[in-house]
Amino acid sequence: MENEIYEHATRLFAERGFAGTSLQDIADALGITRPALYYYVRSKDELLAKLVSEVTEGPLADLAEVVERTDPDPVRKLRGVVSVLVARQTRQPERFRLLIRSEAELPAELTAAYTASRRSVLAVVSGVVDEGVRAGRFRPVDPRLAALGVLGMCNWVAWWFHPGGRDDPAVVAEGLADMAVGALQRADDRVPDGDGPAAALKLLRQDLDHLERLLDE
């Protein structure tokens, strides 16, 4: 019953807006009385709070599991991060769309929680990109800017993906992970042979040698 309540509330909030939807509307959609609905939820604000917390808090635990693995490879970490984010978007895209549309109507405490969650997710993705840059696996990009690009690509899934439609969630996740890695990963011949400044200097010397040969021609 709780899942049905969430689904009908999400649909009605999306169609009519949070302010334009009443608990009676949700009860009517479920085919139950308003007193019966009170058994599961006490107010419209409480219902929205549950939907927001599910959307904002869920990814953090999954992302933490990905980045805290003993596997140090930032490329695999980035693939895992994208897979987590896309999987959540493809499971319940309508809830993510609702959150974006209702952002201006959220109570202050929910706005604060939503903002904090977005910042935490951005910090996780930025950290993975920064690891890759420092290890020489990713190009020397701004980690925050790159993370915003990755998140934008993942979040947009909610606006075009339709569960049960032509696109398979696993294929979508794999394809977008390929794109994220492809946008950041160094070519194999540009990956430093080791970690630290010495390995980076070795690549730089190779470039300088190449440049000197071109200038001598």
Side-chain angles (χ1 to χ4, degrees):
M1 176 59 78
E2 288 186 354
N3 285 334
E4 288 189 36
I5 291 172
Y6 292 153
E7 294 305 320
H8 283 289
T10 298
R11 177 179 58 80
L12 290 171
F13 288 158
E15 291 175 355
R16 307 179 184 182
F18 179 69
T21 304
S22 67
L23 283 181
Q24 185 63 58
D25 293 329
I26 297 171
D28 290 343
L30 287 161
I32 63 176
T33 64
R34 185 165 176 169
L37 181 60
Y38 280 132
Y39 177 79
Y40 298 97
V41 59
R42 290 173 294 181
S43 70
K44 190 171 63 170
D45 286 348
E46 179 187 294
L47 182 55
L48 183 61
K50 288 182 179 179
L51 289 171
V52 170
S53 63
E54 179 180 315
V55 169
T56 58
E57 295 173 8
L60 287 174
D62 295 338
L63 290 175
E65 182 180 348
V66 170
V67 300
E68 290 171 5
R69 291 173 184 166
T70 55
D71 184 352
D73 185 0
V75 173
R76 284 195 285 268
K77 282 186 181 180
L78 181 61
R79 294 189 66 87
V81 163
V82 172
S83 295
V84 165
L85 294 172
V86 172
R88 296 189 67 84
Q89 297 281 354
T90 57
R91 281 199 296 270
Q92 296 172 324
E94 67 284 347
R95 295 193 186 182
F96 288 89
R97 295 196 300 268
L98 168 65
L99 185 56
I100 298 300
R101 288 170 174 162
S102 304
E103 188 172 353
E105 300 178 275
L106 294 177
E109 63 275 13
L110 289 183
T111 298
Y114 177 44
T115 300
S117 173
R118 287 192 303 175
R119 288 175 177 169
S120 297
V121 171
L122 176 60
V124 170
V125 182
S126 297
V128 171
V129 175
D130 187 53
E131 283 183 33
V133 171
R134 290 177 179 275
R137 301 298 306 279
F138 297 153
R139 294 181 295 104
V141 297
D142 181 321
R144 181 179 179 275
L145 181 61
L148 287 169
V150 170
L151 287 170
M153 179 178 66
C154 295
N155 290 340
W156 187 246
V157 171
W159 299 93
W160 58 261
F161 182 85
H162 301 285
R166 56 171 289 184
D167 298 305
D168 180 85
V171 174
V172 171
E174 183 177 1
L176 293 184
D178 287 342
M179 292 180 191
V181 170
L184 296 174
Q185 192 172 22
R186 283 180 181 267
D188 289 341
D189 62 345
R190 302 300 301 156
V191 175
D193 184 17
D195 298 328
L201 284 171
K202 183 178 178 181
L203 275 181
L204 182 58
R205 290 192 186 98
Q206 292 173 357
D207 289 338
L208 289 173
D209 289 344
H210 180 61
L211 178 60
E212 288 175 352
R213 285 195 296 270
L214 291 176
L215 292 174
D216 289 339
E217 291 179 356

